[in-house]
Structure formats: C-alpha cells, structure tokens
Amino acid sequence: MEFTLNETQRMVQQVARDYAERRLRPIAAQLDREGTFPTEQLQEMAELGLMGVNIPERLGGAEAGAVAYALAMMEIAAACASTAVTMAVTNMVAEVITAFGTEDQQTRYVPALTSGRYLAGAFALSEPGAGSDPGGMRTTATRVNGGYLLDGQKQWITSGAYAGVLVVWARTGGPGTRGISCFLVEQGAKGMKTGRPEDKMGLRASNTVPLTFECCFVPEEAMLGEPGSGFKIAMMALDGGRIGIASQACGIAQAALDASLRYAKDRQQFGKPIADFQAIQWMLADSATELDAARLLALRAAALKEAKQPFSREASMAKLFASEAANRICNRAVQIHGGYGYTREFPVERYLRDVRVTTIYEGTSEIQRTVIARAMLR
Ligand code: CAA
C-alpha cells in the first residue's frame, strides 16, 4: 500500500494551495458577508486547470486524476467553501459529459467548462418533492418534432443562475427509474426560468436556485446517454460527486482545526495558554484523528475511482464519515474559541455554517448509509 503522492498530485495540490491562500482566503469572509458569487476567481481557477482536474487534456482538462481532484478540492475548501462547491459541481458536470456525451456534446461543452468560458456547470436532479428520492421526479420531457419539451420544477440547483450548461433530468416514459432521461440545456434556453436565490445558512457565496421549465424545447441531440438511462447516469455521477463533497468537508475541517490550534496556543486563561489544558488537548487530538481518517477515506475512494475499480460504497463511506466528522470538528473549533468563536471576528462560525450542509447535499448521511448497507447486503 502506497501513502505517498506522485509528482502530478503534489503539483496540483500545491497550485490549489497557493491559489487558495493568495486569492480566496483573504476575501472569503467578505464573499460570505455580501453573498458575492466569485466570478473572477472562478475564471482564474479554470486557467489553473481546477475546473477540469480529472478531464482529458484534449478537452482542456488537467488530466491529473481523481486523487489530484480530491486534493485540490480540500485546498480550495479550506479557504472558501462556497467557491469549492461551485468548483465541485462544475468538475462533476464536466466529468459526466465526458463520460456519457457524444463527441459533439463533449467538444461543445467540456472545453467551455474547463476553460472558464462557462463560469460553472449545474446538475439539475432534485425537485421540490424529490430530494432523497430522485426516482420520484415529476419533470417530464415530451417527444415533439426534432426534440423534447421539458416541463417541471427543479430545486436546490447549485450555480443554476450562472451555469453555461445544465444537466437536467426528466421523465421520458417507462416505469420508475428506467423512465428517466438526461438532457444538456444551455443557459438562456427559452422556457427555462431561474428563481430567487436561496437565503442559506452557509455557503452564502455560492448560488442555489430553483428552476422552472415550461415548454422548454431541447433538440434531440441534447439527450445525454440513451433514453431511459438517466437515473443510472445520475447515480454514477453522484458516486464521484460524493468524493468531492467528502473532500470539501475535509478542507473546511482542516481550516477549523488550524484556527483552533492557533487560538489554543494564543489564548491565555488561568495564567497560561488554554492549549495547556487537557480538555482542549483532547478536543484537538480527536479532531486531528477524525480528520486524518476522513482524508484517508476520501483518498481511498478517489484512488479506486482512478484505478477504474468499483467505488460507490467507498465514496458513500467517505462522504458519510467526512461530513459528520467535519461537523464535529467545526463545532469543537467554535467551542475552543469560546464566546469569540460565536462572533464574526473569527472565521470558525463561518466554517460551522458552511460545513453543516455537507451531511445533507449530494445525498444525506441517511442515504449514504442506505447505499453502504445495500452494497453489504447485496
Ligand atoms: N451506479 C450505477 N447504477 C446504479 C447506482 C450506481 N451507484 N445506484 C443505483 N443504480 C441503478 C440500480 O442498479 C438500478 O438499476 P436497474 O434499474 O437496472 O435495476 C437503478 O439504478 C435504480 O436503483 P435503486 O433501485 O437502488 O434506486 P432507488 O430509487 O432505490 O434509489 C438511492 C437509490 C441510493 C437512494 C438514490 O435515490 C440516491 O442516491 N438518492 C440521493 C439523491 C442525491 O444524492 N441527491 C443529491 C442531489 S445533487 C446535489 O446535491 C448537488 C449539489 O448541489 C451539491
């Protein structure tokens, strides 16, 4: 078993770390406070290859692999979790089009995502009445001359207002999950409306919107994959996406732990730094241990994906453990900071708000347990 990173992985990690320190960390609190979408930064990140880390070079990607992607995600998330989720979904969309798209779909959309010509990609699966159960979706795609008409509503769509291309799931007919197909819809498509951005607890510099489709025409060539294969495409994309969110959780937790260590050494009570108290030391030790375990799970899932081995169960384990551990770590960070941790003077309150959603999106912890248990019992 090999625990060392190769040269490409180290280089991608360093590029992401340097960029995050220089261009994201200094403005993350302001982006959060003002709810600003980091347009300029996303374009710079695309120039560095961060919008297509695991995409072939022929489509403008860095072709650095799934492990490098996880490492880059950890670095970006440690500085700005909002920017990280935008990056995560864009990489996921570029990957799903690369994996299932025709040559024409690939060359039309993937280079636009990896180069930053499109600020982001969006993944429109969830609906107001279909979150954990996307198989229960009600959006329809009705066959018409030359294509399909999309009708329905999508909910919680990350980057929905900024994405150049959106992957949209809809029912084309047929039973249950086998009656779902997948379409590539361009921003500005007639009949697609973007709703008011959600006023979220955290990730306030990311964009989350509802979408409405009313007789929205998409040509036949907009279908991604075979008719009726949409659900499986979504599940496979989410397997990879969950490694991204596990990595995002690790990044946020790393930032919280770094802040905790700094504060514990600096803050004096009873005539000595609070780091001298065993109560604080144990919190730091638990956080460091849980973070290491989370990183190892995320990197194992990424390594399996990179080796083209099955990784669905491992991705769910990584997402489940990393998101829950990261919540505990950010919560401890606020506790270590005491009253100051509850104010905006220190970043740990933002980390706690940002990390909260990682046990919810890309499949709740309960759904990850379902995926893991089904794999065990199969
Ligand atoms: N890979 C390939 N195929 C898969 C698969 C996988 N990982 N998981 C399921 N399938 C296939 C099954 O084999 C089955 O195929 P057949 O029809 O040939 O038998 C088909 O898909 C249906 O599978 P299930 O019967 O298991 O489907 P289900 O309805 O019971 O759902 C579930 C399974 C795991 C609960 C799934 O619904 C799920 O993952 N739910 C959570 C949804 C989710 O994660 N949403 C996140 C939204 S995106 C987001 O949050 C992005 C963001 O903004 C950050």
Side-chain angles (χ1 to χ4, degrees):
M1 188 172 284
E2 192 56 82
F3 282 100
T4 50
L5 303 179
N6 66 31
E7 202 184 316
T8 304
Q9 291 159 351
R10 275 202 308 273
M11 194 182 75
V12 171
Q13 183 185 45
Q14 197 58 50
V15 165
R17 184 174 295 167
D18 291 346
Y19 182 80
E21 282 306 316
R22 191 168 48 80
R23 290 289 285 148
L24 295 174
R25 191 178 299 286
I27 57 162
Q30 188 188 352
L31 293 177
D32 169 72
R33 210 167 35 246
E34 296 170 3
T36 311
F37 193 72
T39 307
E40 205 181 310
Q41 285 72 18
L42 292 169
Q43 270 159 344
E44 291 168 354
M45 285 164 63
E47 280 161 30
L48 293 173
L50 296 173
M51 291 302 174
V53 180
N54 189 28
I55 299 293
E57 281 177 14
R58 74 175 176 88
L59 295 171
E63 204 169 324
V67 172
Y69 168 66
L71 294 165
M73 177 54 51
M74 289 174 194
E75 298 299 331
I76 299 298
C80 178
S82 292
T83 304
V85 71
T86 312
M87 170 181 159
V89 177
T90 302
N91 273 271
M92 178 163 69
V93 167
E95 284 198 33
V96 77
I97 301 175
T98 302
F100 297 99
T102 59
E103 181 64 26
D104 186 51
Q105 288 170 334
Q106 290 180 7
T107 50
R108 188 172 181 146
Y109 297 116
V110 179
L113 289 165
T114 54
S115 67
R117 188 157 65 75
Y118 284 169
L119 270 183
F123 194 86
L125 178 70
S126 302
E127 298 187 357
S132 289
D133 178 21
M137 73 174 60
R138 292 166 70 169
T139 297
T140 53
T142 312
R143 197 85 173 87
V144 291
N145 208 0
Y148 294 84
L149 286 179
L150 300 180
D151 284 280
Q153 279 179 290
K154 294 288 169 183
Q155 185 75 22
W156 319 120
I157 309 308
T158 301
S159 308
Y162 292 91
V165 62
L166 301 93
V167 191
V168 180
W169 279 265
R171 308 202 76 87
T172 40
T177 54
R178 291 185 180 188
I180 293 171
S181 301
C182 180
F183 298 89
L184 298 176
V185 182
E186 293 180 12
Q187 187 66 253
K190 199 159 167 269
M192 182 183 93
K193 276 202 214 101
T194 303
R196 207 177 56 197
E198 302 295 343
D199 192 7
K200 307 190 295 286
M201 171 183 180
L203 298 185
R204 294 186 63 81
S206 75
N207 173 258
T208 312
V209 290
L211 301 172
T212 307
F213 294 90
E214 272 175 19
C215 292
C216 175
F217 177 79
V218 287
E220 212 159 313
E221 1 12 306
M223 186 181 281
L224 184 71
E226 298 299 313
S229 68
F231 191 82
K232 283 188 192 173
I233 292 177
M235 291 300 111
M236 287 191 248
L238 284 171
D239 285 342
R242 287 167 185 164
I243 299 174
I245 301 306
S247 307
Q248 183 201 25
C250 289
I252 304 169
Q254 182 70 60
L257 181 55
D258 291 346
S260 303
L261 258 180
R262 268 195 311 275
Y263 188 81
K265 288 197 264 187
D266 190 49
R267 173 75 171 163
Q268 305 266 331
Q269 287 293 277
F270 303 101
K272 54 186 178 181
I274 61 170
D276 285 0
F277 293 102
Q278 197 177 47
I280 302 294
Q281 290 172 3
W282 285 18
M283 282 197 260
L284 293 172
D286 282 349
S287 291
T289 306
E290 289 184 51
L291 178 54
D292 253 19
R295 282 176 65 95
L296 288 168
L297 281 173
L299 293 174
R300 176 183 68 162
L304 286 170
K305 179 180 171 192
E306 194 161 318
K308 304 205 182 327
Q309 304 275 324
F311 66 96
S312 174
R313 183 184 77 124
E314 289 77 7
S316 283
M317 285 177 161
K319 158 75 161 75
L320 169 64
F321 185 81
S323 63
E324 301 217 332
N327 268 271
R328 289 192 293 274
I329 294 165
C330 292
N331 209 17
R332 279 185 208 119
V334 171
Q335 190 67 20
I336 291 168
H337 282 70
Y340 292 105
Y342 199 60
T343 70
R344 290 200 171 176
E345 203 177 319
F346 287 85
V348 288
E349 65 83 30
R350 171 165 52 89
Y351 301 149
L352 185 58
R353 285 186 290 107
D354 285 348
V355 84
R356 185 62 190 85
V357 75
T358 61
T359 65
I360 299 171
Y361 65 14
E362 302 241 357
T364 59
S365 288
E366 293 68 32
I367 289 295
Q368 307 311 326
R369 290 185 177 96
T370 302
V371 173
I372 297 162
R374 282 187 185 179
M376 292 165 69
L377 296 167
R378 205 160 29 231

